[in-house]
Amino acid sequence: MVGPLISSLCSAAARKSLSSSSSASSNYRKPYVFSRVSSLTRPFSSSTAADTSPSAVNNSSTVVDPSRLRNVAVIAHVDHGKTTLMDRLLRQCGADIPHERALDSISLERERGITISSKVTSISWKENELNMVDTPGHADFGGEVERVMGMVEGAVLVVDAGEGPLAQTKFVLAKAMKYGIRPLLLLNKVDRPSVTEERCSEVESLVFDLFDNLGATEEQLEFPVLYASAKEGWASSTYTKNPPEDARNMSELLDAIIRHVRPPTATLDVPFQMLVSMMEKDNYVGRILTGRIYSGILQVGDRVHGIHSTDSGTAKTEEGKVVKLMKKKGTNIVSVDSAGAGDIVSMAGLTRPVIGYTIANVGVMTALPIVDLDPQTISMTFGVNDSPLAGRDGTFLTGKQIGDCLMAESERNLALNVLPGLSDSYEVQGRGELQLGILIENMRREKFELSVSPPKVMYKIEKGQKLEPIEEVTVEVNEEHVGLVMEALSHRRGEITDMGPVPGSVGRTRVCLTCPSRGLVGYRSVFNSDT
């Protein structure tokens, strides 16, 4: 009798020890739940450990009332302060910011100081939940802007109060106008010495003219104007350079978003439908699909399937079960039990749907309309490195490995198009040199070794005419360099549309031109040498 009693006590103690050690070690393992597969995948979380916060431990099981939701995109020209503004909004709402530009989670974004991929996060403000989307400002990454505009009802247009609206401001604003979004104008960097109230009035007039030229409706033309210094962390509804101490925060901007942006029109008591707008892969839960829920309620364990429109109707891709439902709150990822219409969430459980597909209840066979993307303009040929130094730099050398990587990237980035070529080569079509350069650098860091051809412009035939892409170019240089720049661009078929001094700067000139894309290929190095 003693032997069995002792063995049972020992086994019970062992089970208790095992359960305590596993629960203790779970906090150690959780930061690796969303580990990166490669540098080409877009990390879902920021660089901090995502699931270790107390808020991530408590699962939320309540569906947010659509009337308390606001879906907002932050759009602007390059380096006008979008990501810094997002930092201040997150900090205002109690999020822990590990470093400056916390949403720039890709190493190349932090190194180059630009946003490459769109990021979604949510913040709470006065019983409302704001889903904020930080978007890139460069036209080469316009696909990131286009596919998130369908998820939001409002946008914060950030404009540098000193520089005014520039070429990329027009580009991203045109995307917002296309979806009927009512932007809210935020004049940033008003703390600069060169910015005056008169200059802010000029910029406001320029933005109004830009709205009008883009065909804005009367409702869109009645945009509210706020003044801010994202660097100092404050926003004001009236022009000021030094607000009172109790007003040096982002409260007025957050209140303006609640007032100005309409809540999503969504119905909870209908079948579930969601359009996939972002996608990434994870080592543990597989493919993570992010999108806005257009109707119904999604719960963990629901049976769903992926569908998409084809020429012959709606095709079913895959059926499965929702194994994990997640939401980004601040810089943390929170697991939730359910989410309702109007909300932006991420789900795992399906392995085949890609961006543009519809995830719906099993009984639904109606696909949501997909996003119209601008066509690609530049192409390069990627192939196996056949130089005398082949095999010394990378680990992944074969054509199949390069092709698998490119195909996976084209699934995550709709602005890229990959076509198989001859002898283990692939034609990669994109929006510009910068986008393809970022792709090459990511592959190089991931130990891919490959050869690439010079970029070439893509032409198309319409009504018997051969057409080529034309770009709008803005050059800002010192006065002594204007002649060299104009001469070089005139040889490249550039035509001047506007020219004048830069407001707030002495001895600086801004030249606006239209130029064929083929004339701009390789011009950056010439420009750097001339200036």
Side-chain angles (χ1 to χ4, degrees), residues 473 475 477-500 509-515 523 526-527 530-531:
V473 187
V475 183
V477 290
N478 293 334
E479 289 179 353
E480 62 266 25
H481 299 136
V482 172
L484 287 171
V485 171
M486 291 176 61
E487 182 181 3
L489 285 174
S490 64
H491 290 315
R492 294 167 176 262
R493 307 288 182 181
E495 298 180 2
I496 298 176
T497 57
D498 191 20
M499 182 176 174
T509 300
R510 181 178 297 159
V511 184
C512 297
L513 312 95
T514 58
C515 186
Y523 175 66
V526 177
F527 175 78
D530 289 345
T531 61

PDB file of all heavy atoms in Angstrom, residues 473 475 477-500 509-515 523 526-527 530-531:
ATOM      1  N   VAL A 473       7.609  66.063 -61.301  1.00  0.00           N
ATOM      2  CA  VAL A 473       8.881  66.165 -60.580  1.00  0.00           C
ATOM      3  C   VAL A 473       8.950  67.515 -59.873  1.00  0.00           C
ATOM      4  O   VAL A 473       8.649  68.552 -60.470  1.00  0.00           O
ATOM      5  CB  VAL A 473      10.083  66.027 -61.542  1.00  0.00           C
ATOM      6  CG1 VAL A 473      11.393  65.962 -60.760  1.00  0.00           C
ATOM      7  CG2 VAL A 473       9.931  64.798 -62.420  1.00  0.00           C
ATOM      8  N   VAL A 475      11.743  69.761 -57.724  1.00  0.00           N
ATOM      9  CA  VAL A 475      13.153  69.886 -57.354  1.00  0.00           C
ATOM     10  C   VAL A 475      13.325  71.169 -56.555  1.00  0.00           C
ATOM     11  O   VAL A 475      12.893  72.238 -56.999  1.00  0.00           O
ATOM     12  CB  VAL A 475      14.075  69.906 -58.590  1.00  0.00           C
ATOM     13  CG1 VAL A 475      15.533  69.974 -58.172  1.00  0.00           C
ATOM     14  CG2 VAL A 475      13.834  68.690 -59.464  1.00  0.00           C
ATOM     15  N   VAL A 477      16.356  73.377 -54.848  1.00  0.00           N
ATOM     16  CA  VAL A 477      17.821  73.501 -54.792  1.00  0.00           C
ATOM     17  C   VAL A 477      18.200  74.956 -54.514  1.00  0.00           C
ATOM     18  O   VAL A 477      17.359  75.863 -54.577  1.00  0.00           O
ATOM     19  CB  VAL A 477      18.483  73.049 -56.110  1.00  0.00           C
ATOM     20  CG1 VAL A 477      18.368  71.563 -56.297  1.00  0.00           C
ATOM     21  CG2 VAL A 477      17.892  73.787 -57.300  1.00  0.00           C
ATOM     22  N   ASN A 478      19.484  75.153 -54.197  1.00  0.00           N
ATOM     23  CA  ASN A 478      20.013  76.510 -54.089  1.00  0.00           C
ATOM     24  C   ASN A 478      20.039  77.160 -55.467  1.00  0.00           C
ATOM     25  O   ASN A 478      20.130  76.490 -56.501  1.00  0.00           O
ATOM     26  CB  ASN A 478      21.419  76.497 -53.496  1.00  0.00           C
ATOM     27  CG  ASN A 478      21.422  76.045 -52.046  1.00  0.00           C
ATOM     28  OD1 ASN A 478      20.436  76.197 -51.336  1.00  0.00           O
ATOM     29  ND2 ASN A 478      22.530  75.480 -51.610  1.00  0.00           N
ATOM     30  N   GLU A 479      19.979  78.498 -55.483  1.00  0.00           N
ATOM     31  CA  GLU A 479      19.838  79.223 -56.746  1.00  0.00           C
ATOM     32  C   GLU A 479      20.985  78.942 -57.718  1.00  0.00           C
ATOM     33  O   GLU A 479      20.785  78.876 -58.934  1.00  0.00           O
ATOM     34  CB  GLU A 479      19.753  80.730 -56.463  1.00  0.00           C
ATOM     35  CG  GLU A 479      18.434  81.149 -55.817  1.00  0.00           C
ATOM     36  CD  GLU A 479      18.390  82.637 -55.523  1.00  0.00           C
ATOM     37  OE1 GLU A 479      19.441  83.299 -55.704  1.00  0.00           O
ATOM     38  OE2 GLU A 479      17.321  83.130 -55.128  1.00  0.00           O
ATOM     39  N   GLU A 480      22.210  78.746 -57.192  1.00  0.00           N
ATOM     40  CA  GLU A 480      23.346  78.562 -58.095  1.00  0.00           C
ATOM     41  C   GLU A 480      23.304  77.231 -58.843  1.00  0.00           C
ATOM     42  O   GLU A 480      24.039  77.031 -59.812  1.00  0.00           O
ATOM     43  CB  GLU A 480      24.668  78.675 -57.321  1.00  0.00           C
ATOM     44  CG  GLU A 480      24.865  77.629 -56.248  1.00  0.00           C
ATOM     45  CD  GLU A 480      24.418  78.107 -54.879  1.00  0.00           C
ATOM     46  OE1 GLU A 480      23.542  79.013 -54.822  1.00  0.00           O
ATOM     47  OE2 GLU A 480      24.938  77.598 -53.875  1.00  0.00           O
ATOM     48  N   HIS A 481      22.440  76.289 -58.392  1.00  0.00           N
ATOM     49  CA  HIS A 481      22.372  74.983 -59.035  1.00  0.00           C
ATOM     50  C   HIS A 481      21.189  74.838 -59.987  1.00  0.00           C
ATOM     51  O   HIS A 481      21.034  73.799 -60.625  1.00  0.00           O
ATOM     52  CB  HIS A 481      22.284  73.872 -57.975  1.00  0.00           C
ATOM     53  CG  HIS A 481      23.460  73.826 -57.065  1.00  0.00           C
ATOM     54  ND1 HIS A 481      23.343  73.676 -55.696  1.00  0.00           N
ATOM     55  CD2 HIS A 481      24.783  73.940 -57.320  1.00  0.00           C
ATOM     56  CE1 HIS A 481      24.540  73.680 -55.152  1.00  0.00           C
ATOM     57  NE2 HIS A 481      25.440  73.846 -56.120  1.00  0.00           N
ATOM     58  N   VAL A 482      20.351  75.867 -60.083  1.00  0.00           N
ATOM     59  CA  VAL A 482      19.134  75.751 -60.883  1.00  0.00           C
ATOM     60  C   VAL A 482      19.466  75.500 -62.352  1.00  0.00           C
ATOM     61  O   VAL A 482      18.845  74.662 -63.021  1.00  0.00           O
ATOM     62  CB  VAL A 482      18.272  77.023 -60.726  1.00  0.00           C
ATOM     63  CG1 VAL A 482      17.096  76.996 -61.705  1.00  0.00           C
ATOM     64  CG2 VAL A 482      17.756  77.132 -59.307  1.00  0.00           C
ATOM     65  N   GLY A 483      20.471  76.200 -62.874  1.00  0.00           N
ATOM     66  CA  GLY A 483      20.818  76.048 -64.283  1.00  0.00           C
ATOM     67  C   GLY A 483      21.255  74.635 -64.631  1.00  0.00           C
ATOM     68  O   GLY A 483      20.828  74.071 -65.647  1.00  0.00           O
ATOM     69  N   LEU A 484      22.095  74.029 -63.768  1.00  0.00           N
ATOM     70  CA  LEU A 484      22.558  72.670 -64.020  1.00  0.00           C
ATOM     71  C   LEU A 484      21.401  71.668 -63.993  1.00  0.00           C
ATOM     72  O   LEU A 484      21.308  70.771 -64.836  1.00  0.00           O
ATOM     73  CB  LEU A 484      23.609  72.274 -62.972  1.00  0.00           C
ATOM     74  CG  LEU A 484      24.995  72.915 -63.105  1.00  0.00           C
ATOM     75  CD1 LEU A 484      25.843  72.607 -61.883  1.00  0.00           C
ATOM     76  CD2 LEU A 484      25.692  72.425 -64.366  1.00  0.00           C
ATOM     77  N   VAL A 485      20.498  71.849 -63.025  1.00  0.00           N
ATOM     78  CA  VAL A 485      19.363  70.923 -62.898  1.00  0.00           C
ATOM     79  C   VAL A 485      18.432  71.049 -64.101  1.00  0.00           C
ATOM     80  O   VAL A 485      18.011  70.043 -64.695  1.00  0.00           O
ATOM     81  CB  VAL A 485      18.609  71.193 -61.581  1.00  0.00           C
ATOM     82  CG1 VAL A 485      17.303  70.398 -61.536  1.00  0.00           C
ATOM     83  CG2 VAL A 485      19.475  70.834 -60.384  1.00  0.00           C
ATOM     84  N   MET A 486      18.128  72.270 -64.499  1.00  0.00           N
ATOM     85  CA  MET A 486      17.211  72.473 -65.628  1.00  0.00           C
ATOM     86  C   MET A 486      17.813  71.951 -66.926  1.00  0.00           C
ATOM     87  O   MET A 486      17.112  71.373 -67.767  1.00  0.00           O
ATOM     88  CB  MET A 486      16.858  73.960 -65.748  1.00  0.00           C
ATOM     89  CG  MET A 486      15.991  74.477 -64.612  1.00  0.00           C
ATOM     90  SD  MET A 486      15.684  76.257 -64.702  1.00  0.00           S
ATOM     91  CE  MET A 486      14.847  76.389 -66.257  1.00  0.00           C
ATOM     92  N   GLU A 487      19.122  72.149 -67.093  1.00  0.00           N
ATOM     93  CA  GLU A 487      19.770  71.659 -68.314  1.00  0.00           C
ATOM     94  C   GLU A 487      19.739  70.138 -68.382  1.00  0.00           C
ATOM     95  O   GLU A 487      19.420  69.544 -69.426  1.00  0.00           O
ATOM     96  CB  GLU A 487      21.220  72.151 -68.358  1.00  0.00           C
ATOM     97  CG  GLU A 487      21.965  71.726 -69.618  1.00  0.00           C
ATOM     98  CD  GLU A 487      23.402  72.191 -69.630  1.00  0.00           C
ATOM     99  OE1 GLU A 487      23.836  72.796 -68.626  1.00  0.00           O
ATOM    100  OE2 GLU A 487      24.098  71.939 -70.631  1.00  0.00           O
ATOM    101  N   ALA A 488      20.056  69.482 -67.241  1.00  0.00           N
ATOM    102  CA  ALA A 488      20.073  68.018 -67.220  1.00  0.00           C
ATOM    103  C   ALA A 488      18.686  67.449 -67.477  1.00  0.00           C
ATOM    104  O   ALA A 488      18.526  66.474 -68.240  1.00  0.00           O
ATOM    105  CB  ALA A 488      20.615  67.525 -65.880  1.00  0.00           C
ATOM    106  N   LEU A 489      17.644  68.036 -66.869  1.00  0.00           N
ATOM    107  CA  LEU A 489      16.293  67.506 -67.034  1.00  0.00           C
ATOM    108  C   LEU A 489      15.727  67.835 -68.412  1.00  0.00           C
ATOM    109  O   LEU A 489      14.895  67.088 -68.936  1.00  0.00           O
ATOM    110  CB  LEU A 489      15.383  68.050 -65.934  1.00  0.00           C
ATOM    111  CG  LEU A 489      15.596  67.425 -64.547  1.00  0.00           C
ATOM    112  CD1 LEU A 489      14.762  68.135 -63.487  1.00  0.00           C
ATOM    113  CD2 LEU A 489      15.252  65.938 -64.570  1.00  0.00           C
ATOM    114  N   SER A 490      16.147  68.941 -69.018  1.00  0.00           N
ATOM    115  CA  SER A 490      15.660  69.246 -70.365  1.00  0.00           C
ATOM    116  C   SER A 490      16.193  68.224 -71.366  1.00  0.00           C
ATOM    117  O   SER A 490      15.492  67.856 -72.324  1.00  0.00           O
ATOM    118  CB  SER A 490      16.081  70.658 -70.770  1.00  0.00           C
ATOM    119  OG  SER A 490      17.503  70.768 -70.862  1.00  0.00           O
ATOM    120  N   HIS A 491      17.435  67.740 -71.151  1.00  0.00           N
ATOM    121  CA  HIS A 491      17.964  66.687 -72.009  1.00  0.00           C
ATOM    122  C   HIS A 491      17.217  65.366 -71.808  1.00  0.00           C
ATOM    123  O   HIS A 491      17.265  64.492 -72.677  1.00  0.00           O
ATOM    124  CB  HIS A 491      19.453  66.473 -71.740  1.00  0.00           C
ATOM    125  CG  HIS A 491      20.323  67.604 -72.216  1.00  0.00           C
ATOM    126  ND1 HIS A 491      20.160  68.185 -73.445  1.00  0.00           N
ATOM    127  CD2 HIS A 491      21.357  68.266 -71.618  1.00  0.00           C
ATOM    128  CE1 HIS A 491      21.052  69.157 -73.599  1.00  0.00           C
ATOM    129  NE2 HIS A 491      21.791  69.227 -72.502  1.00  0.00           N
ATOM    130  N   ARG A 492      16.550  65.234 -70.659  1.00  0.00           N
ATOM    131  CA  ARG A 492      15.791  64.019 -70.356  1.00  0.00           C
ATOM    132  C   ARG A 492      14.293  64.220 -70.620  1.00  0.00           C
ATOM    133  O   ARG A 492      13.458  63.545 -70.024  1.00  0.00           O
ATOM    134  CB  ARG A 492      16.021  63.612 -68.897  1.00  0.00           C
ATOM    135  CG  ARG A 492      17.462  63.179 -68.629  1.00  0.00           C
ATOM    136  CD  ARG A 492      17.758  63.081 -67.140  1.00  0.00           C
ATOM    137  NE  ARG A 492      19.114  62.578 -66.920  1.00  0.00           N
ATOM    138  CZ  ARG A 492      19.425  61.314 -66.642  1.00  0.00           C
ATOM    139  NH1 ARG A 492      18.458  60.417 -66.570  1.00  0.00           N
ATOM    140  NH2 ARG A 492      20.669  60.948 -66.453  1.00  0.00           N
ATOM    141  N   ARG A 493      13.962  65.157 -71.473  1.00  0.00           N
ATOM    142  CA  ARG A 493      12.579  65.414 -71.915  1.00  0.00           C
ATOM    143  C   ARG A 493      11.715  66.044 -70.828  1.00  0.00           C
ATOM    144  O   ARG A 493      10.485  65.901 -70.841  1.00  0.00           O
ATOM    145  CB  ARG A 493      11.895  64.139 -72.422  1.00  0.00           C
ATOM    146  CG  ARG A 493      12.667  63.384 -73.491  1.00  0.00           C
ATOM    147  CD  ARG A 493      12.643  64.113 -74.798  1.00  0.00           C
ATOM    148  NE  ARG A 493      13.336  63.369 -75.857  1.00  0.00           N
ATOM    149  CZ  ARG A 493      13.466  63.811 -77.098  1.00  0.00           C
ATOM    150  NH1 ARG A 493      12.963  64.980 -77.422  1.00  0.00           N
ATOM    151  NH2 ARG A 493      14.112  63.097 -78.001  1.00  0.00           N
ATOM    152  N   GLY A 494      12.339  66.719 -69.865  1.00  0.00           N
ATOM    153  CA  GLY A 494      11.568  67.391 -68.834  1.00  0.00           C
ATOM    154  C   GLY A 494      10.999  68.717 -69.322  1.00  0.00           C
ATOM    155  O   GLY A 494      11.656  69.443 -70.081  1.00  0.00           O
ATOM    156  N   GLU A 495       9.774  69.037 -68.894  1.00  0.00           N
ATOM    157  CA  GLU A 495       9.128  70.294 -69.255  1.00  0.00           C
ATOM    158  C   GLU A 495       8.706  71.023 -67.988  1.00  0.00           C
ATOM    159  O   GLU A 495       8.000  70.460 -67.145  1.00  0.00           O
ATOM    160  CB  GLU A 495       7.901  70.044 -70.145  1.00  0.00           C
ATOM    161  CG  GLU A 495       8.241  69.384 -71.484  1.00  0.00           C
ATOM    162  CD  GLU A 495       7.003  69.144 -72.329  1.00  0.00           C
ATOM    163  OE1 GLU A 495       5.889  69.540 -71.873  1.00  0.00           O
ATOM    164  OE2 GLU A 495       7.129  68.587 -73.431  1.00  0.00           O
ATOM    165  N   ILE A 496       9.130  72.270 -67.848  1.00  0.00           N
ATOM    166  CA  ILE A 496       8.867  73.042 -66.637  1.00  0.00           C
ATOM    167  C   ILE A 496       7.408  73.494 -66.618  1.00  0.00           C
ATOM    168  O   ILE A 496       6.893  74.041 -67.608  1.00  0.00           O
ATOM    169  CB  ILE A 496       9.809  74.260 -66.545  1.00  0.00           C
ATOM    170  CG1 ILE A 496      11.268  73.793 -66.455  1.00  0.00           C
ATOM    171  CG2 ILE A 496       9.454  75.132 -65.351  1.00  0.00           C
ATOM    172  CD1 ILE A 496      12.268  74.923 -66.456  1.00  0.00           C
ATOM    173  N   THR A 497       6.744  73.276 -65.496  1.00  0.00           N
ATOM    174  CA  THR A 497       5.356  73.720 -65.325  1.00  0.00           C
ATOM    175  C   THR A 497       5.243  74.876 -64.331  1.00  0.00           C
ATOM    176  O   THR A 497       4.315  75.662 -64.402  1.00  0.00           O
ATOM    177  CB  THR A 497       4.475  72.560 -64.831  1.00  0.00           C
ATOM    178  OG1 THR A 497       5.019  72.042 -63.599  1.00  0.00           O
ATOM    179  CG2 THR A 497       4.435  71.437 -65.858  1.00  0.00           C
ATOM    180  N   ASP A 498       6.210  74.988 -63.395  1.00  0.00           N
ATOM    181  CA  ASP A 498       6.154  76.060 -62.395  1.00  0.00           C
ATOM    182  C   ASP A 498       7.553  76.254 -61.826  1.00  0.00           C
ATOM    183  O   ASP A 498       8.346  75.305 -61.765  1.00  0.00           O
ATOM    184  CB  ASP A 498       5.165  75.716 -61.282  1.00  0.00           C
ATOM    185  CG  ASP A 498       4.884  76.912 -60.381  1.00  0.00           C
ATOM    186  OD1 ASP A 498       5.141  78.051 -60.820  1.00  0.00           O
ATOM    187  OD2 ASP A 498       4.428  76.707 -59.248  1.00  0.00           O
ATOM    188  N   MET A 499       7.825  77.486 -61.398  1.00  0.00           N
ATOM    189  CA  MET A 499       9.136  77.791 -60.842  1.00  0.00           C
ATOM    190  C   MET A 499       9.011  79.020 -59.957  1.00  0.00           C
ATOM    191  O   MET A 499       8.320  79.981 -60.302  1.00  0.00           O
ATOM    192  CB  MET A 499      10.143  78.037 -61.973  1.00  0.00           C
ATOM    193  CG  MET A 499      11.560  78.307 -61.519  1.00  0.00           C
ATOM    194  SD  MET A 499      12.659  78.475 -62.955  1.00  0.00           S
ATOM    195  CE  MET A 499      14.173  78.967 -62.148  1.00  0.00           C
ATOM    196  N   GLY A 500       9.652  78.991 -58.787  1.00  0.00           N
ATOM    197  CA  GLY A 500       9.561  80.130 -57.889  1.00  0.00           C
ATOM    198  C   GLY A 500      10.390  79.923 -56.649  1.00  0.00           C
ATOM    199  O   GLY A 500      10.932  78.835 -56.400  1.00  0.00           O
ATOM    200  N   THR A 509      15.250  77.729 -54.557  1.00  0.00           N
ATOM    201  CA  THR A 509      14.288  77.775 -55.661  1.00  0.00           C
ATOM    202  C   THR A 509      13.628  76.413 -55.816  1.00  0.00           C
ATOM    203  O   THR A 509      14.293  75.379 -55.689  1.00  0.00           O
ATOM    204  CB  THR A 509      14.995  78.150 -56.976  1.00  0.00           C
ATOM    205  OG1 THR A 509      15.612  79.429 -56.829  1.00  0.00           O
ATOM    206  CG2 THR A 509      14.003  78.202 -58.135  1.00  0.00           C
ATOM    207  N   ARG A 510      12.328  76.426 -56.080  1.00  0.00           N
ATOM    208  CA  ARG A 510      11.575  75.194 -56.322  1.00  0.00           C
ATOM    209  C   ARG A 510      11.130  75.163 -57.778  1.00  0.00           C
ATOM    210  O   ARG A 510      10.513  76.112 -58.270  1.00  0.00           O
ATOM    211  CB  ARG A 510      10.371  75.100 -55.388  1.00  0.00           C
ATOM    212  CG  ARG A 510       9.549  73.821 -55.571  1.00  0.00           C
ATOM    213  CD  ARG A 510       8.403  73.780 -54.576  1.00  0.00           C
ATOM    214  NE  ARG A 510       8.894  73.747 -53.212  1.00  0.00           N
ATOM    215  CZ  ARG A 510       8.174  74.099 -52.144  1.00  0.00           C
ATOM    216  NH1 ARG A 510       6.940  74.532 -52.310  1.00  0.00           N
ATOM    217  NH2 ARG A 510       8.687  74.028 -50.939  1.00  0.00           N
ATOM    218  N   VAL A 511      11.474  74.074 -58.455  1.00  0.00           N
ATOM    219  CA  VAL A 511      11.128  73.897 -59.860  1.00  0.00           C
ATOM    220  C   VAL A 511      10.203  72.690 -59.986  1.00  0.00           C
ATOM    221  O   VAL A 511      10.513  71.614 -59.471  1.00  0.00           O
ATOM    222  CB  VAL A 511      12.395  73.688 -60.723  1.00  0.00           C
ATOM    223  CG1 VAL A 511      12.018  73.610 -62.206  1.00  0.00           C
ATOM    224  CG2 VAL A 511      13.408  74.789 -60.491  1.00  0.00           C
ATOM    225  N   CYS A 512       9.075  72.864 -60.646  1.00  0.00           N
ATOM    226  CA  CYS A 512       8.145  71.761 -60.896  1.00  0.00           C
ATOM    227  C   CYS A 512       8.170  71.435 -62.394  1.00  0.00           C
ATOM    228  O   CYS A 512       8.073  72.347 -63.232  1.00  0.00           O
ATOM    229  CB  CYS A 512       6.726  72.125 -60.476  1.00  0.00           C
ATOM    230  SG  CYS A 512       6.561  72.456 -58.705  1.00  0.00           S
ATOM    231  N   LEU A 513       8.285  70.149 -62.712  1.00  0.00           N
ATOM    232  CA  LEU A 513       8.377  69.714 -64.097  1.00  0.00           C
ATOM    233  C   LEU A 513       7.527  68.466 -64.306  1.00  0.00           C
ATOM    234  O   LEU A 513       7.153  67.783 -63.347  1.00  0.00           O
ATOM    235  CB  LEU A 513       9.825  69.375 -64.488  1.00  0.00           C
ATOM    236  CG  LEU A 513      10.960  70.323 -64.155  1.00  0.00           C
ATOM    237  CD1 LEU A 513      11.619  69.937 -62.847  1.00  0.00           C
ATOM    238  CD2 LEU A 513      12.010  70.300 -65.271  1.00  0.00           C
ATOM    239  N   THR A 514       7.259  68.172 -65.569  1.00  0.00           N
ATOM    240  CA  THR A 514       6.755  66.849 -65.952  1.00  0.00           C
ATOM    241  C   THR A 514       7.839  66.188 -66.789  1.00  0.00           C
ATOM    242  O   THR A 514       8.449  66.843 -67.655  1.00  0.00           O
ATOM    243  CB  THR A 514       5.451  66.946 -66.763  1.00  0.00           C
ATOM    244  OG1 THR A 514       5.684  67.735 -67.933  1.00  0.00           O
ATOM    245  CG2 THR A 514       4.345  67.551 -65.922  1.00  0.00           C
ATOM    246  N   CYS A 515       8.095  64.903 -66.515  1.00  0.00           N
ATOM    247  CA  CYS A 515       9.196  64.222 -67.186  1.00  0.00           C
ATOM    248  C   CYS A 515       8.828  62.752 -67.372  1.00  0.00           C
ATOM    249  O   CYS A 515       8.219  62.142 -66.471  1.00  0.00           O
ATOM    250  CB  CYS A 515      10.473  64.340 -66.353  1.00  0.00           C
ATOM    251  SG  CYS A 515      11.954  63.685 -67.132  1.00  0.00           S
ATOM    252  N   TYR A 523      18.776  59.329 -62.740  1.00  0.00           N
ATOM    253  CA  TYR A 523      19.063  60.764 -62.606  1.00  0.00           C
ATOM    254  C   TYR A 523      19.497  61.139 -61.189  1.00  0.00           C
ATOM    255  O   TYR A 523      20.182  62.145 -61.005  1.00  0.00           O
ATOM    256  CB  TYR A 523      17.838  61.587 -63.006  1.00  0.00           C
ATOM    257  CG  TYR A 523      18.032  63.075 -62.777  1.00  0.00           C
ATOM    258  CD1 TYR A 523      18.977  63.783 -63.511  1.00  0.00           C
ATOM    259  CD2 TYR A 523      17.311  63.746 -61.806  1.00  0.00           C
ATOM    260  CE1 TYR A 523      19.192  65.141 -63.285  1.00  0.00           C
ATOM    261  CE2 TYR A 523      17.517  65.094 -61.577  1.00  0.00           C
ATOM    262  CZ  TYR A 523      18.457  65.792 -62.311  1.00  0.00           C
ATOM    263  OH  TYR A 523      18.672  67.112 -62.079  1.00  0.00           O
ATOM    264  N   VAL A 526      23.165  61.735 -60.878  1.00  0.00           N
ATOM    265  CA  VAL A 526      23.543  62.947 -61.600  1.00  0.00           C
ATOM    266  C   VAL A 526      23.176  64.190 -60.794  1.00  0.00           C
ATOM    267  O   VAL A 526      23.957  65.148 -60.682  1.00  0.00           O
ATOM    268  CB  VAL A 526      22.860  62.974 -62.991  1.00  0.00           C
ATOM    269  CG1 VAL A 526      23.181  64.270 -63.738  1.00  0.00           C
ATOM    270  CG2 VAL A 526      23.267  61.767 -63.810  1.00  0.00           C
ATOM    271  N   PHE A 527      21.985  64.172 -60.202  1.00  0.00           N
ATOM    272  CA  PHE A 527      21.513  65.291 -59.386  1.00  0.00           C
ATOM    273  C   PHE A 527      22.436  65.510 -58.186  1.00  0.00           C
ATOM    274  O   PHE A 527      22.792  66.651 -57.850  1.00  0.00           O
ATOM    275  CB  PHE A 527      20.076  65.011 -58.930  1.00  0.00           C
ATOM    276  CG  PHE A 527      19.527  66.032 -57.978  1.00  0.00           C
ATOM    277  CD1 PHE A 527      19.068  67.258 -58.437  1.00  0.00           C
ATOM    278  CD2 PHE A 527      19.464  65.770 -56.621  1.00  0.00           C
ATOM    279  CE1 PHE A 527      18.566  68.189 -57.557  1.00  0.00           C
ATOM    280  CE2 PHE A 527      18.966  66.703 -55.742  1.00  0.00           C
ATOM    281  CZ  PHE A 527      18.511  67.919 -56.210  1.00  0.00           C
ATOM    282  N   ASP A 530      25.648  67.153 -59.421  1.00  0.00           N
ATOM    283  CA  ASP A 530      25.472  68.547 -59.838  1.00  0.00           C
ATOM    284  C   ASP A 530      25.283  69.494 -58.657  1.00  0.00           C
ATOM    285  O   ASP A 530      25.661  70.664 -58.736  1.00  0.00           O
ATOM    286  CB  ASP A 530      24.260  68.666 -60.777  1.00  0.00           C
ATOM    287  CG  ASP A 530      24.531  68.046 -62.143  1.00  0.00           C
ATOM    288  OD1 ASP A 530      25.713  67.800 -62.451  1.00  0.00           O
ATOM    289  OD2 ASP A 530      23.557  67.803 -62.892  1.00  0.00           O
ATOM    290  N   THR A 531      24.705  69.002 -57.578  1.00  0.00           N
ATOM    291  CA  THR A 531      24.343  69.897 -56.471  1.00  0.00           C
ATOM    292  C   THR A 531      25.196  69.671 -55.230  1.00  0.00           C
ATOM    293  O   THR A 531      24.818  70.107 -54.154  1.00  0.00           O
ATOM    294  CB  THR A 531      22.853  69.712 -56.115  1.00  0.00           C
ATOM    295  OG1 THR A 531      22.643  68.342 -55.708  1.00  0.00           O
ATOM    296  CG2 THR A 531      21.959  70.038 -57.290  1.00  0.00           C
TER     297      THR A 531
END
